Amino acid sequence: MATLSFEIESSEVSEIRTVLKVLGAKKIKIVQQDGAHMSRNEFFEKINSPIKAIENGKGTLIKSKEELTNFWDSL
């Protein structure tokens, strides 16, 4: 196994991913500096982290528009 790391323009990501898949890449991780694109696992981690924190009592779930307004007003 080998790991390659290189920088490309954001507009080329789709083409490079396709080429790597055709060549047999087993695991492709794409990180963009602007944060617009992330791997599937990174996406689900970002979505699930706040939910897990709330379930563990480390966060607050905003349930209504009024609670959201009050939160923003408190900042």
Side-chain angles (χ1 to χ4, degrees):
M1 284 280 168
T3 301
L4 302 174
S5 177
F6 53 92
E7 291 185 22
I8 59 171
E9 293 296 323
S10 296
S11 61
E12 302 296 325
V13 169
S14 179
E15 291 84 3
I16 296 297
R17 180 189 313 188
T18 301
V19 169
L20 291 172
K21 284 184 179 181
V22 168
L23 292 174
K26 304 241 186 258
K27 183 177 178 182
I28 300 171
K29 179 179 178 181
I30 299 169
V31 178
Q32 290 186 341
Q33 291 176 347
D34 62 6
H37 189 77
M38 60 188 78
S39 73
R40 182 178 181 163
N41 290 339
E42 289 171 324
F43 173 77
F44 284 115
E45 184 60 33
K46 273 195 182 240
I47 296 296
N48 290 325
S49 290
I51 295 169
K52 289 177 186 174
I54 291 168
E55 290 172 350
N56 293 331
K58 297 178 183 176
T60 302
L61 179 62
I62 296 176
K63 298 178 184 176
S64 69
K65 184 177 179 180
E66 181 180 330
E67 288 180 2
L68 179 61
T69 302
N70 291 339
F71 169 73
W72 282 113
D73 289 343
S74 71
L75 295 178

